[in-house]
Amino acid sequence: MSRMNSNTKVKVSMNRIKRNMRSCIFVLLSLYLVLLVYFAYTLFMYSDRWFADPGNTRVKVDMSNPRIIPGRIYDRNMLTLVETGTKTEDNGQVVFYRKYHELSRCAAHVIGNRQLGIGAETRFIKYLLGYDNNLIERVYQKAFLNREQGNNIILTIDIELQRYADEALGDRSGSIVLINPKNGEILAMVSHPDFDPSDPGKDMKNESLVNKAIYGKYPPGSIMKLITAAAAISHLEGAEEFTLECKGRTDIDGISVSCYSERAHGLVDMNRALEVSCNAYFAKLAVDLGWKNLRSTAERFGFNRDFIFEEVITTKSVFPTSGTKSTEELAWAGVGQDEVLVSPLHMALIASSIANDGKMPEPKLIHGIQRRNGSIVYKSGTKTALNTVPTEIAQALKGMMINAVEEGTGKKAYKQGIEIAGKTGTAEVGNGSLPHAWFIGFAPAEDPSIAIAVIIERAGSGGSEAAPVAGDLISRAIRLGY
Amino acid sequence: MDKKQYEILALMLRYWFVLLLICILYILLKKVIIYKQGGTVKRTTGNIPFILVLYTLSAFGLLAGREPGGYDLDVLLLGAIISVVVLFQFYFLFYFFKGIDEVLLSIVDTLAVLGLVMLQRLSPELAMNQVEWFIYGNVGMFIFIMIFSRNIDLGRLTYPLMISGIAVLVVVLLFGKESGGAKRYVVLGPFSVQPSEFVKLIFIFVLAYYLKIKRTFFQNLPLYIFAALSVILVVLHKDLGSALQYFLLFISIYYIATSDWLLTGAAVATGIVGAAISYKLFSHVRVRVQAWKNPWADIGGGGYQVAQSLIAIGSGGLIGFGLGLGEPNVIPASRTDFIFAAICEEFGILTGAAVIILFGLLLVRGMQKGLESDKETDTLLVCGCVISLTIQAFIIIGGVIKLIPLTGITLPFVSYGGSSMFVSMCIAGMMQGISIKNYRLAKAFEALDEPDELEYEGEGFNEQD
């Protein structure tokens, strides 16, 4: 009690100090909490990528005298694409080197090369060097093996299909992605121009090292109409019955929109418009939808999203976000021009999501890991990357895509006996050069087992250039049993 | 040891190190949570010194066998010296000063031990120096405990300290030695001293002694001038981390002491404007911000440090590569600013998280001591100490893991650096001194309250009031 009386004056300010202190503890503790949460989050999301970074000297392998022998890379049918071989040099010294199978050339970007810092050789170095082994295995290897042994990777790639795709593209620039829409396994992924992974110096061209399937950014052209259609069905009432008179060069709310080679499509409804790929119709839908609705649907399909997949790194697809865009730009964005940019893998994923009733699977490249003793651990389990649109909308889009192949622009993709759903795209690039030819689709439409995205740069219209390639590859894939 | 034997041992000991650290964390967490304010609960050191010695000896014992062929007894000896210092603190100081806070001491020692082990692994010569500084730091702690555990009024020192603080910073500006883009060091004979660290002590002291009395704006003017001058001088040294630390320290202590929203807000606004101006003015600030936004874009240039740090942290995984099995020497400044990344690489993310949690516990425990005290200066001093350490840890760990732009500053108790270690230990000493004072106070009241328990004397006691 005595202390209370004598110290009353001080106590008042003391109480205030202590009250402030408590709030200060709160603020500072939350700082630490932010630190801890960010630390956990960022490591969970990115640590694998950082580990596999080409700048990581910890996983550099000295091939003349390796401490760990890197494992093999197989395709899904256990064909050895890359292995570590030994050769004896003239002076009798044994040297290790990465031995590439001759077919590895057609999967150059997928397999990659450690020196160049690309492909599975870089990305999956954790497995190849056996850093994913458990303690017992690692201790055993250190204790009893002369050199440690990395694990073997089984890729989801089917080298047979990959070779067809590679040949289909020929010496044209572009990219092809074949993917299983159910579980996201990438069956083939081609990017041209390519390089020789066993000898990267040989016939290297300007863009050779870029895997365009994942890093390419192209205007999607008419493929965007699928997204515009999905947006219209979910946001505009009676959109599927809406009709428009296409005159080849049609006036949409004061904006003149021309169709490909100014062909007049006549009176079209949504089904017919997608079939013939009518610009005017979808420009009108885009204008009616407005930026907000169109963007929100595009974002549901994964535009403007940092895809952080476990096994595949891909670039971000862009849908314009700035608020100060004109209606004319909106009309063109609705048919995939303006500033819309996509990667071929993303397009294949969009096709997969339509095939899969709206569920976009997470793309996968690793089929399984083979341990030192030969046992294989398969990486099963499908992850859904995104839930894009409800099942009804996916079904509606699928129906229109089937028509587009049977009667519309995608006719050249048609194959007897296989029901293919698809959409062509012809993306103007300006500078007077030919447009990029696009095709995305999936088959069999009933129960899709394969989805595809084809882009051929500066080749012409999607219907005449990309569609036949896609139809061919799909029929071959189905013949291979997918 | 054979190279392979060493590797196997290091691989297996990873689990052991994490286990020991978790034990320490568990004991500390329990003590912090069940702490009774103002009470003189039975204070024991528990098993912490034992665990710490075990940690030190096993780590140094492992590192002794790192060079193939033979067992380096010098390394083991260094570990033994550290163990002796730790044991000395826990048993001698405890015996000498009743009321030393075992939690604060344990946190400081755990962090120091982690830092020393990592330094021994990164660069044995530096570890030797740092152990030396750790011992000097203990002397510093001892002196500060002596000063601050007594009831002497140090208020007279405020103005001389303010002037000498500014003078020291001016001297650095004129005669400082540049290193890593910042003018931080002054060479004093064999030592290279970082005065901005020592000025931090002055800063904490001056703030506490100046703000204990309620004054008007004009009466406070000398303090404002002192604070502004020191921040500006440190910015001119290009030592942005320290500048940020001084600035945040000032506004938080000022707010706690005065509850003056208006001036605190004005100071924050000035700080933001200052940051914007320095972003426009200094190219090195822009480089740092760019490296923070995307270190991978310029991995060969400005982003190199952060990218290498992230690679190291990401490579370690949950329990790390194992002591001596990673390549933390690749990280730039792995001994000083980036030691957290090196620890994460070899001891793993769990140990990294433990470091963050240890600093969090230091904050809570320090504040508990501050709330317990009944003198404004003491409360404000403890606040200054705790906030200074907290801000410093947050700035550098946040920078290393790319939460905020990187500003070069040491991780208290852990990083290499004599000045940093010494000053951090002094700050710990300040907190311990006040803890002892609190203990004596509580003891005194306990003695007063005792008659209360005996009914017949209780009456009489109350009447004396």
Side-chain angles (χ1 to χ4, degrees), chain A residues 1 10 18 20 58 145, chain B residues 4 259 345 371 373 376 465:
Chain A
M1 300 255 170
V10 183
K18 288 183 176 171
N20 289 339
R58 293 159 193 84
L145 296 187
Chain B
K4 273 192 169 163
S259 310
E345 179 186 341
L371 289 172
S373 172
E376 306 88 331
D465 253 19

Side-chain angles (χ1 to χ4, degrees), chain A residues 1-5 7 9-11 13-40 42-44 46-60 67 131 133-148, chain B residues 3-4 7-8 11-12 14-15 37 214 252 255-259 296 299 308 310-315 321 325-328 330-331 340 344-345 349 352-353 356-357 359-360 363-364 366-368 370-376 379-380 383 386-387 389-391 393-394 397-398 401-403 445 448-449 465:
Chain A
M1 300 255 170
S2 57
R3 52 191 153 132
M4 286 283 279
N5 293 335
N7 288 350
K9 242 168 139 186
V10 183
K11 276 271 179 185
S13 83
M14 256 326 249
N15 281 343
R16 211 166 54 179
I17 287 177
K18 288 183 176 171
R19 199 188 59 217
N20 289 339
M21 256 177 88
R22 287 203 182 88
S23 50
C24 199
I25 300 178
F26 182 73
V27 171
L28 294 177
L29 260 187
S30 52
L31 275 185
Y32 276 135
L33 203 65
V34 168
L35 202 62
L36 211 55
V37 168
Y38 177 83
F39 186 57
T42 187
L43 281 165
F44 180 73
Y46 296 103
S47 63
D48 264 12
R49 293 184 177 199
W50 293 338
F51 182 75
D53 191 275
N56 190 355
T57 50
R58 293 159 193 84
V59 290
K60 280 229 163 71
R67 201 167 52 81
Y131 276 101
N133 282 334
N134 59 26
L135 181 71
I136 297 166
E137 172 70 19
R138 289 186 69 183
V139 168
Y140 174 86
Q141 292 204 1
K142 278 191 199 296
F144 300 109
L145 296 187
N146 188 21
R147 293 179 202 278
E148 287 170 56
Chain B
K3 197 168 176 225
K4 273 192 169 163
E7 281 180 9
I8 292 167
L11 264 183
M12 307 225 270
R14 297 183 297 173
Y15 298 91
Q37 215 178 79
K214 208 175 157 134
S252 30
Y255 173 71
I256 288 174
T258 61
S259 310
W296 312 100
I299 190 167
Q308 281 300 337
L310 293 180
I311 288 173
I313 296 172
S315 296
F321 264 121
L325 301 186
E327 279 183 23
V330 177
I331 316 164
F340 183 75
C344 285
E345 179 186 341
I349 297 166
I356 299 177
I357 294 171
F359 276 109
L363 163 71
V364 175
M367 288 300 198
Q368 281 174 343
L371 289 172
E372 208 177 74
S373 172
D374 77 332
K375 278 172 88 186
E376 306 88 331
T379 308
L380 289 176
C383 279
V386 171
I387 293 172
L389 291 175
T390 302
I391 292 169
F394 179 79
I397 298 180
I401 66 172
K402 199 178 84 73
L403 175 64
F445 282 130
L448 278 181
D449 286 345
D465 253 19

Side-chain angles (χ1 to χ4, degrees), chain A residues 95-115:
Chain A
V95 183
F96 290 80
Y97 73 107
R98 286 300 262 176
K99 193 167 135 197
Y100 288 81
H101 189 274
E102 55 181 2
L103 275 178
S104 63
R105 164 89 204 222
C106 57
H109 291 100
V110 178
I111 295 167
N113 182 306
R114 183 67 192 163
Q115 275 79 50

Side-chain angles (χ1 to χ4, degrees), chain B residues 28 31 44-50 52-53 83-96 100-110 138 141:
Chain B
L28 289 179
K31 286 196 175 196
T44 51
T45 55
N47 294 319
I48 288 179
F50 171 69
L52 262 178
V53 167
S83 307
V84 168
V85 174
V86 169
L87 290 176
F88 169 83
Q89 283 180 357
F90 272 101
Y91 293 107
F92 183 76
L93 285 185
F94 261 77
Y95 180 75
F96 225 58
I100 277 201
D101 190 68
E102 76 281 9
V103 175
L104 285 177
L105 197 60
S106 312
I107 295 172
V108 168
D109 280 347
T110 313
N138 273 291
M141 185 165 83

Side-chain angles (χ1 to χ4, degrees), chain B residues 4 32 97 116 119 123 197 208 212 333 345 434-435 439:
Chain B
K4 273 192 169 163
V32 168
F97 300 102
L116 290 170
L119 278 170
S123 156
E197 291 281 350
K212 70 171 179 183
E345 179 186 341
I434 290 159
S435 165
Y439 176 81

